[in-house]
């Protein structure tokens, strides 16, 4: 395989609740090529969100190595502060994160949200309106998040992510709170744009149909039961 | 199917409702603490006020609506006069005012002589009280007191007619010191206004804490509704719940408030005494029922008032669009400002203050939100845009605690300015009046003239010697618009030397001291000028002794002692018929020292000992009495401010927490935690700093009202309006410290791992 976008080796993460240690991710390894998509499945509590957080540095792993865009993150190898800075700059410019809900700043209009995200990533804000249009919500640009529907909000969230021209998109059940029809529409747009702009995608979902749309498949529930 | 949950819910409804507080015990604690503190503060202020009111009422009652018999020739009354009047059957009661050498003025009365007062031989209620309380004493005791000043009055019932009197006597109205009623009332009014302000602020804080919990409970209310529990029942339980909580907290709160008042109020009666120069009884305490009921009502109204009035409000907001509200607020503000400017009497000024506070409180959060949105419109950077938009949301969501903090800041600012100004002015005035190092009384029967001549001879060869002779008495201002020609105190001085010339004047003609010295003019105090509408250049018509004089007014001097008119003139020009009630010398002995001087004066007056005061000690004493009053006022306002600041801190933190998800979103978007914390800091500082800035004009305006409107209307004198930017700075720092603390608390929260947004509003896009 050519230069891979993401390589994970021996990744482990546990949480401590009370005096009990709960292992969530144990010795996980996988790779993702440039422009490829990966579906992350598993039952609730299997660690999908945790893995996504590890992959963008919102949480730090206990053990293992993550190589992202040629940058190597090893546990304990670097001073935590420096590592955090590196993750920040990656999230700012390379990794787009989409959550199940509340991806937009409530006090900013849809357009302002897209502009904000683009500006943080150091991209031009000139195309922000175009992104909204491409996601079929161009007419809603001046509305605030509470003035549009849940599906429209998730479209806006996708517009924001694409406006920052990321190398990797981490989507955590992005359609989890939408109805079937809307969810399908939004996912379709996501796959289309991802294919068109050639960025990597890791999609956490417990929807088998959505997962089928991805090129690769990783079942955490299956893994942890091994 | 539907019956079971409804049945279950009906059994456990209180439990279901209360479970919220089991999950959030801190919220319950905050609510309880807030009720206790609010009750304590208000009860404290209220208790002090009612104590002062009881004292004032009693002393006023004792002197109210009386008339007295005076001599036609203006001479002081003596025991002979009493005998003469009683012999012709006029009902008179002796009232002897004595000022002991140490301590406050006392009044000796003779209850036996008062039998003829009141109808059907029933003694007047005011005099029916046992004579065990200071400062009213039995006449016999009063005459035995060694005093520096005493005066006999003969009171007579309203039924006495001029025709009943023998020749040489006439009737006039009697009051120990004119206008004390107004003076006392004004002070009480000020205290009460302070109390109401405190109550308002605490009610706002209480409401904000309660609403916070209510918002979080909305989900469970909805759930109960789905279970078939009617909203009415939920509301009834809520009322019951808050009543129960209030009852548990109000009672200890009232106890604490009384404890606070008792602790602070010990010196308070004394301070009032010194402040108004009127005799006071120690007030009896108030009952418990009143404050408890008032606070219960306040708690219920503050917490659930709008819930109960919801329908009315809904109807109102159907009629009135939102802009009308802020228009209405602006109207209130403008009307209040205009009214305060033009109000002819005290009650109107207080109404105006209420209007201005209502308007300002209504407008302030709008204003912050507006300004934030305006700034957002002008900002080109998305981050700045985000910050200002977020500020607008915060300002609207934190309306109540913000307004409470604004009011508290304004109140503290005004009270501080007033008190500090008063202290400064009072100090300067005392300094003026007590310019000389010593005050020496001329003994009864001795002649002051000889001493004056001796001092004049000493003047030439004693470096540093400064002195003047003072003769006090009374005169009548004639030819005024008022039908009753007012009595004024006369302060006659000679020579008009450096001790007097250092006085600062409010208004003066050219060569005023020279004119005073030569006897071609007088000076009057501010009280007289205001009351008679006199200014420099006007002629003052006076009856001095048996002479009628017309003298031009050369100057007006500030006088903060008593609300009595006073004139200052040269003692050289007094007619012989002038009744000198009191004669003294003010002396700064210079190099030889005081001992040499007292020896000489004792020789001149042929006495063993001199009645002499060290003015420095008096000054200290007077200042300490005032300090006590001011310390009390300051403590009350400061407590309120601390409460408001703590409440904003708590509310700010809680509300920021509900937005924590969005702040963490910034981290997810690639900003470092440090950067996000920086943004939060700027946001919190903008918020609390903004409210401090808005509190400033309100506080300055309140100072102006106190100094330039309330004081002249109530006391007859103005204070110079001073501003204290250093104190503004301190208050600003306090506000920023609150902001800083909110940001610090939030920073800790940012460090914790992200969880989904807690508030239900996040599901619909989040609040803006
Ligand atoms: N901060 C935390 N502290 C302790 N335990 C945690 C923490 N975050 C997650 N966990 C635990 O780690 C496990 C994995 O959680 P995670 O949120 O990754 O699951 P998930 O697969 O995303 O589930 P879902 O499909 O419900 O979103 C769960 O058992 C959860 O309880
Ligand atoms: Mg998850």
């Amino acid at each position: 395989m050519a230069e891979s976008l993401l390589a994970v080796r021996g990744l482990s993460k546990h949480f401590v609740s009370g005096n009990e240690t709960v292992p969530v991710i144990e010795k996980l390894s996988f790779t993702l090529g440039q422009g490829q998509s990966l579906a992350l499945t598993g039952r609730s509590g299997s660690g999908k969100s945790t893995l996504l957080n590890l992959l963008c540095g919102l949480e730090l792993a206990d053990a293992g190595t993550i190589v992202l865009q040629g940058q190597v993150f090893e546990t304990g190898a670097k001073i935590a502060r420096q590592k955090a800075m590196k993750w920040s700059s990656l999230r700012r410019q390379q990794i787009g994160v989409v959550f199940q809900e509340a991806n937009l700043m409530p006090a900013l209009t849809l357009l302002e949200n897209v502009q904000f995200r683009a500006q943080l990533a150091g991209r031009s804000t000139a195309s922000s309106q175009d992104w909204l249009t491409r996601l079929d919500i161009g007419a809603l640009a001046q509305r605030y998040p509470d003035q549009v529907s849940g599906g429209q909000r998730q479209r806006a969230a996708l517009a924001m992510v694409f406006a920052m021209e990321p190398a990797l998109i981490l989507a955590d059940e992005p359609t989890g709170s939408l109805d079937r029809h809307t969810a399908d529409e939004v996912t379709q747009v996501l796959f289309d744009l991802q294919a068109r702009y050639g960025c990597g995608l890791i999609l956490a979902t417990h929807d088998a149909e959505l997962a089928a749309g991805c090129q690769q498949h990783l079942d955490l529930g299956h893994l942890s039961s091994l | 199917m539907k019956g079971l949950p409804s049945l279950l819910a009906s059994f456990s409804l209180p439990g279901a409702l209360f479970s919220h507080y089991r999950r959030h015990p801190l919220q319950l604690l905050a609510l309880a603490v807030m009720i206790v503190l609010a009750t304590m503060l208000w009860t404290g202020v209220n208790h002090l006020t009612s104590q002062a009111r009881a004292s004032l009422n009693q002393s006023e009652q004792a002197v109210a609506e009386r008339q007295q018999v005076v001599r036609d020739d203006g001479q002081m009354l003596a025991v002979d006069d009493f005998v003469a009047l009683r012999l012709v059957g006029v009902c008179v009661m002796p009232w002897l005012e004595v000022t002991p050498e140490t301590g406050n003025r006392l009044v000796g009365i003779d209850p036996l002589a008062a039998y003829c007062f009141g109808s059907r031989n029933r003694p007047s209620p005011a005099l029916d009280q046992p004579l065990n309380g200071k400062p009213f004493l039995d006449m016999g005791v009063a005459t035995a007191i060694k005093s520096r000043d005493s005066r006999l009055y003969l009171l007579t019932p309203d039924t006495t007619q001029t025709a009943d009197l023998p020749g040489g006597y006439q009737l006039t109205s009697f009051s120990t010191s004119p206008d004390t009623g107004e003076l006392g009332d004004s002070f009480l009014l000020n205290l009460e206004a302070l109390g109401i302000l405190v109550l308002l602020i605490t009610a706002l804080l209480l409401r904000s804490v309660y609403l916070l919990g209510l918002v979080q409970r909305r989900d469970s209310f909805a759930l109960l509704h789905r279970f078939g529990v009617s909203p009415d029942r939920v509301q009834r339980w809520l009322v019951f719940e808050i009543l129960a909580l209030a009852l548990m907290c109000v009672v200890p709160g009232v106890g604490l408030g009384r404890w606070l008042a008792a602790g602070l109020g010990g010196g308070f009666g004394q301070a009032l005494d010194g402040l108004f120069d009127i005799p006071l009884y120690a007030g009896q305490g108030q009952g418990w029922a009143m404050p408890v009921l008032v606070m219960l009502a306040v708690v219920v109204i503050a917490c659930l008032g709008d819930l109960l009035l919801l329908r009315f409000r809904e109807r109102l907001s159907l009629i009135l669009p939102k802009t009308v509200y802020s228009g209405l607020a602006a109207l209130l503000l403008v009307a209040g400002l205009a009214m305060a400017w033009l109000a002819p009497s005290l009650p109107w000024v207080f109404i105006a203050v209420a209007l201005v506070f209502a308007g300002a409180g209504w407008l302030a959060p709008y204003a912050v939100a507006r300004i934030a949105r305006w700034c957002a419109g002008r900002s080109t950077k998305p981050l700045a845009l985000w910050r200002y938009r977020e500020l607008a949301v915060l300002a609207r969501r934190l309306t109540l605690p913000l307004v409470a903090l604004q009011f508290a800041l304004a109140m503290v600012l005004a009270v501080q300015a007033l008190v500090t100004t008063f202290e400064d002015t009072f100090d300067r005035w005392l300094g003026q009046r007590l310019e000389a190092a010593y005050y020496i009384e001329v003994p009864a029967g001795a002649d002051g003239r000889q001493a004056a001549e001796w001092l004049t001879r000493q003047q030439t060869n004693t470096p540093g010697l400064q002195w003047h002779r003072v003769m006090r008495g009374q005169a009548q201002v004639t030819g005024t618009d008022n039908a009753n020609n007012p009595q004024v105190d006369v302060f006659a001085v000679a020579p008009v030397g450096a001790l007097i010339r250092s006085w600062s004047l409010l208004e003066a003609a050219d060569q005023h001291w020279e004119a005073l010295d030569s006897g071609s003019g007088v000076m009057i105090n501010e009280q007289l000028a205001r009351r008679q509408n006199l200014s420099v250049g006007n002629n003052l018509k006076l009856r001095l002794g048996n002479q009628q004089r017309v003298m031009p007014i050369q100057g007006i001097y500030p006088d903060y002692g008593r609300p009595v008119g006073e004139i200052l003139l040269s003692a050289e020009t007094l007619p012989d018929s002038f009744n000198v009630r009191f004669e003294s010398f003010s002396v700064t002995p210079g190099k030889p020292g005081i001992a040499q001087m007292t020896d000489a004066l004792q020789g001149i007056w042929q006495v063993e000992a001199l009645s002499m005061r060290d003015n420095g000690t008096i000054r200290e004493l007077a200042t300490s009495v005032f300090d006590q009053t001011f310390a009390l006022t300051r403590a009350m306002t400061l407590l309120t401010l601390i409460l408001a600041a703590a409440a904003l801190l708590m509310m700010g933190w809680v509300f920021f927490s509900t937005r924590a998800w969005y702040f963490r979103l910034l981290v997810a978007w690639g900003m470092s935690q440090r950067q996000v914390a920086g943004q939060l800091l700027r946001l919190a500082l903008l918020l609390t700093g903004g409210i401090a800035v808005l509190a400033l004009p309100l506080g300055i305006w309140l100072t102006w009202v106190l100094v330039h409107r309330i004081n002249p209307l109530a006391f007859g004198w103005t204070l110079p309006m001073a501003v204290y930017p250093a104190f503004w700075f301190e208050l600003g720092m306090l506000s920023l410290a609150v902001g800083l603390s909110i940001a610090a608390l939030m920073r800790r929260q940012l460090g914790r791992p992200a969880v989904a947004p807690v508030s239900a509003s996040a599901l619909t896009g989040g609040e803006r």
Side-chain angles (χ1 to χ4, degrees):
Chain A
M1 195 193 280
E3 172 82 344
S4 68
L5 170 64
L6 170 72
V8 174
R9 281 191 298 272
L11 197 66
S12 295
K13 176 73 182 175
H14 71 268
F15 288 110
V16 181
S17 66
N19 46 13
E20 204 183 344
T21 307
V22 185
V24 178
I25 289 167
E26 282 180 291
K27 303 219 174 94
L28 179 70
S29 302
F30 69 92
T31 54
L32 184 72
Q34 298 279 3
Q36 284 202 303
S37 60
L38 178 138
L40 203 58
T41 54
R43 57 192 158 67
S44 179
S46 57
K48 300 184 291 294
S49 301
T50 305
L51 178 57
L52 291 187
N53 282 343
L54 292 175
L55 292 181
C56 65
L58 284 175
E59 283 188 57
L60 297 180
D62 302 323
T65 311
I66 298 172
V67 184
L68 185 64
Q69 287 279 72
Q71 298 211 47
V72 184
F73 295 92
E74 282 169 305
T75 40
K78 289 249 161 59
I79 306 165
R81 174 83 187 284
Q82 269 180 339
K83 202 154 44 175
M85 295 283 282
K86 253 166 78 181
W87 274 124
S88 280
S89 113
L90 272 177
R91 280 197 304 273
R92 199 182 264 257
Q93 299 184 319
Q94 306 286 342
I95 312 173
V97 187
V98 185
F99 300 103
Q100 183 172 338
E101 60 205 20
N103 285 294
L104 310 176
M105 286 297 173
L108 299 181
T109 63
L110 302 191
L111 180 61
E112 285 163 352
N113 265 293
V114 178
Q115 287 170 339
F116 188 5
R117 189 70 189 86
Q119 174 114 14
L120 273 180
R123 318 289 184 221
S124 152
T125 55
S127 58
S128 297
Q129 176 66 46
D130 294 343
W131 277 112
L132 287 172
T133 311
R134 241 164 269 171
L135 280 141
D136 283 339
I137 45 171
L140 305 177
Q142 299 307 326
R143 297 231 191 142
Y144 289 90
D146 65 339
Q147 295 172 326
V148 300
S149 74
Q152 287 161 343
R153 274 199 292 278
Q154 287 307 76
R155 281 171 187 267
L158 293 184
M160 287 171 75
V161 166
F162 282 107
M164 63 170 283
E165 302 165 23
L168 175 65
I169 295 175
L170 303 177
D172 191 352
E173 299 180 49
T175 59
S177 50
L178 304 179
D179 64 76
R180 182 77 249 171
H181 181 69
T182 318
D184 286 348
E185 275 182 9
V186 170
T187 321
Q188 201 50 56
V189 180
L190 174 60
F191 284 144
D192 285 354
L193 290 173
Q194 183 253 334
R196 183 153 11 134
Y197 295 94
C199 48
L201 167 70
I202 299 182
L203 176 70
T205 179
H206 35 223
D207 184 333
E209 237 176 274
L210 286 191
C214 293
Q215 290 147 329
Q216 293 183 42
H217 198 176
L218 184 65
D219 188 350
L220 284 181
H222 176 68
L223 261 181
S224 59
S225 67
L226 272 175
Chain B
M1 212 41 225
K2 195 173 161 246
L4 186 66
S6 131
L7 194 70
L8 278 175
S10 74
F11 277 123
S12 59
L13 180 56
L17 280 174
F18 196 72
S19 70
H20 169 80
Y21 288 126
R22 225 175 316 153
R23 260 178 298 133
H24 304 275
L26 275 181
Q27 223 172 67
L28 183 66
L29 186 72
L31 197 57
V33 166
M34 201 54 83
I35 297 178
V36 169
L37 286 180
T39 312
M40 182 182 93
L41 271 179
W42 180 70
T43 318
V45 173
N46 195 44
H47 199 64
L48 285 172
T49 315
S50 66
Q51 233 177 340
R53 179 178 298 288
S55 308
L56 283 169
N57 275 348
Q58 267 177 307
S59 62
E60 253 172 48
Q61 208 183 19
V63 297
E65 284 182 20
R66 306 224 172 275
Q67 49 181 357
Q68 60 171 330
V69 181
V70 293
R71 291 172 64 112
D72 277 347
D73 59 9
Q75 294 293 318
M76 269 169 77
L77 292 165
V79 180
D80 292 346
D81 297 299
F82 174 65
V83 175
L85 287 162
R86 291 304 295 273
L87 280 177
V88 297
V90 178
C91 172
V92 282
M93 183 192 74
W95 171 286
L96 182 70
E97 277 183 37
V98 286
T99 310
E101 274 167 356
T102 55
N104 292 308
R105 183 167 52 168
L106 302 168
V107 175
I109 50 179
D110 182 2
L112 290 178
Y115 76 95
C116 55
F117 273 70
S119 52
R120 275 164 257 116
N121 283 359
R122 184 168 49 83
S124 138
L127 302 171
D128 199 16
Q129 291 154 359
L131 284 178
N132 52 4
K134 261 176 61 184
F136 287 94
L137 314 160
D138 192 85
M139 182 66 96
V141 181
T143 44
I145 287 175
K146 215 170 154 218
S147 64
R148 51 183 152 100
D149 188 12
S150 75
R151 181 162 182 187
L152 180 71
Y153 297 87
L154 292 175
L155 307 192
T156 185
D158 299 342
T159 49
T160 309
Q161 306 288 316
T162 313
D164 303 335
L165 299 178
Y169 295 96
Q170 63 183 56
L171 290 173
T172 63
S173 62
F174 171 80
S175 61
T176 40
S177 44
D179 291 337
T180 52
E182 197 190 355
L183 193 65
D185 281 348
S186 149
F187 189 76
L188 293 177
L189 221 52
N190 273 310
L191 269 186
E192 242 153 43
L194 180 69
I196 290 171
L197 219 52
V198 167
L199 195 64
L200 181 73
I201 290 167
T202 49
L204 282 173
L205 297 178
L206 198 62
R207 180 170 169 73
S208 56
V209 175
Y210 186 73
L211 282 190
L212 186 76
L214 212 59
V215 167
Q216 292 184 358
R217 295 166 83 181
R218 227 170 255 161
D219 292 345
S220 41
F221 295 160
L223 200 66
L224 285 169
H225 188 56
R226 247 179 279 155
F227 282 172
V229 182
S230 77
D232 277 354
R233 271 196 59 188
V234 173
Q235 270 182 31
R236 247 175 287 139
W237 273 107
L238 283 181
V239 172
F240 175 78
E241 175 196 86
I242 195 71
L243 264 179
L245 181 67
L247 203 62
M248 275 189 284
C249 301
V250 160
V251 173
V254 170
L256 276 175
R258 294 168 71 111
W259 171 78
L260 188 73
L264 293 171
F268 187 69
Q270 222 184 321
L272 266 182
D273 222 1
L275 196 56
F276 297 133
D277 195 23
I278 45 171
L280 292 175
Y281 279 112
Q284 290 98 357
Q286 232 192 352
W288 284 70
M290 249 325 262
V292 168
L293 283 180
V294 168
M295 275 318 290
L296 280 183
V298 166
V299 170
V300 171
I301 290 171
C303 294
L304 294 168
D306 63 336
L307 229 135
L308 304 173
L309 285 172
L310 198 62
R311 289 197 190 119
F312 173 72
R313 247 190 34 179
E314 265 168 9
R315 216 174 295 153
L316 199 70
S317 55
L318 274 184
I319 305 165
L320 302 172
K322 246 196 180 140
T323 46
V324 174
Y325 272 121
S326 40
L328 205 67
L331 202 71
L332 282 184
L333 187 65
V334 171
L337 289 176
M339 197 194 262
W341 182 273
L342 301 168
S345 64
L346 273 183
W348 287 108
V349 175
F350 282 107
I351 292 173
V353 170
L355 285 183
V356 168
F357 267 77
W362 212 341
L363 278 181
Y366 274 116
V368 173
R370 262 280 166 84
I371 293 168
R373 250 179 266 130
W374 180 78
C375 289
R378 288 170 48 97
S379 53
T380 47
K381 287 188 184 151
L383 197 58
L385 174 75
W386 170 82
R387 202 170 47 235
Y388 287 124
R389 288 281 175 76
E390 203 65 16
L391 178 65
V393 177
L394 285 170
R396 250 182 309 109
R397 281 292 273 119
L398 292 172
T399 293
L400 291 171
L402 279 178
V403 170
L405 183 68
Q406 186 200 11
F407 285 4
L409 282 172
M411 185 179 76
V412 169
L413 200 139
V415 169
Q416 195 273 347
L418 181 75
V419 166
T420 312
T421 309
F422 204 110
E423 273 180 327
D424 281 357
T425 317
F426 181 73
D427 252 19
R428 217 174 320 125
W429 172 72
L430 260 188
Q432 218 165 275
R433 285 287 167 124
L434 304 174
E435 179 79 35
Y438 292 94
Y439 167 92
I440 302 167
E441 282 179 22
V442 177
D447 192 356
R449 194 167 301 139
Q450 280 174 304
E453 279 159 10
W454 181 79
L455 279 164
T456 313
R457 284 198 300 278
Q458 297 302 303
Q459 189 85 67
T460 48
N461 52 17
T462 313
L465 172 66
Q466 289 184 330
W467 66 279
H468 62 230
R469 178 183 176 198
V470 178
M471 284 180 269
R472 287 171 191 274
Q474 292 205 308
Q476 208 158 34
V477 177
T478 59
T480 60
D481 308 338
N482 305 26
N484 56 330
N485 294 325
Q487 287 255 319
V488 291
D489 287 350
V490 173
F491 193 82
V493 178
V496 179
L499 292 178
I500 284 281
R501 288 180 194 231
S502 65
W503 283 23
S504 63
L505 302 174
L506 296 173
E507 219 187 302
D510 289 342
Q511 308 279 311
H512 45 278
W513 294 120
E514 288 71 19
L516 186 76
D517 196 18
S518 65
S520 57
V522 293
M523 293 198 185
I524 62 175
N525 70 352
E526 190 186 356
Q527 281 87 327
L528 185 61
R530 278 180 181 275
R531 239 155 263 188
Q532 300 300 331
N533 207 7
L534 294 167
S535 52
V536 167
N538 290 4
N539 279 326
L540 186 69
K541 292 198 186 102
L542 275 179
R543 205 167 78 168
L544 270 175
N546 58 6
Q547 284 189 16
Q548 190 71 35
R549 296 257 180 102
V550 179
M551 300 175 95
I553 296 169
Q554 295 292 335
I556 297 173
Y557 55 93
D559 182 7
Y560 310 106
R562 288 184 304 154
V564 190
E566 188 182 81
I567 56 178
L568 171 69
L569 44 75
S570 166
E572 311 281 0
T573 64
L574 283 178
D576 291 336
S577 60
F578 180 77
N579 174 21
V580 178
R581 275 183 60 187
F582 207 73
E583 196 177 348
S584 62
F585 282 84
S586 292
V587 181
T588 299
K591 205 145 184 226
I594 191 67
Q596 199 179 319
M597 180 160 299
T598 47
D599 286 348
L601 290 176
Q602 275 167 10
I604 292 169
W605 288 329
Q606 302 289 309
V607 288
E608 295 288 304
L610 282 181
S611 173
M612 187 173 78
R613 278 182 348 207
D614 180 349
N615 277 342
T617 326
I618 306 233
R619 208 163 148 172
E620 250 167 52
L621 203 79
T623 312
S624 72
V625 166
F626 268 84
D627 283 351
Q628 211 165 16
T629 315
F630 296 146
L632 179 78
T633 320
R634 279 205 180 112
M636 283 297 188
T637 50
L638 217 62
L639 266 175
T640 316
L641 180 67
I642 289 169
L643 189 67
L648 181 67
L649 175 63
M650 188 172 69
M651 298 290 301
W653 179 45
V654 169
F655 185 68
F656 265 62
S657 306
T658 66
R659 304 257 319 164
W661 169 267
Y662 299 106
F663 301 145
R664 288 207 198 92
L665 210 49
L666 290 177
V667 179
W669 291 355
M671 284 174 71
S672 71
Q673 285 211 8
R674 175 187 284 256
Q675 283 171 318
V676 176
Q679 291 301 318
L680 289 181
L681 182 66
R682 290 173 73 170
L683 201 54
L685 291 185
L686 272 175
L687 188 71
T688 55
I691 212 67
V693 168
L694 284 180
L696 189 60
L698 190 64
I700 294 173
W701 177 82
L702 191 62
T703 316
W704 174 83
V705 167
L706 287 170
V707 166
H708 278 278
R709 300 296 298 144
I710 292 179
N711 235 22
L713 281 174
F715 296 76
W717 39 259
T718 48
L719 290 165
M721 163 119 184
V723 287
Y724 298 91
F727 189 65
W728 300 353
F729 181 74
E730 280 171 37
L731 286 187
M733 286 295 115
L734 177 81
S735 307
L736 293 185
V738 172
L740 215 65
S741 316
I742 295 177
L745 285 170
M746 277 315 296
R747 197 192 164 131
R748 279 188 48 202
Q749 209 158 348
L750 268 187
R752 287 182 212 145
V755 284
V758 278
S759 110
S761 73
L763 291 174
T764 58
E767 196 166 357
R768 65 180 167 86

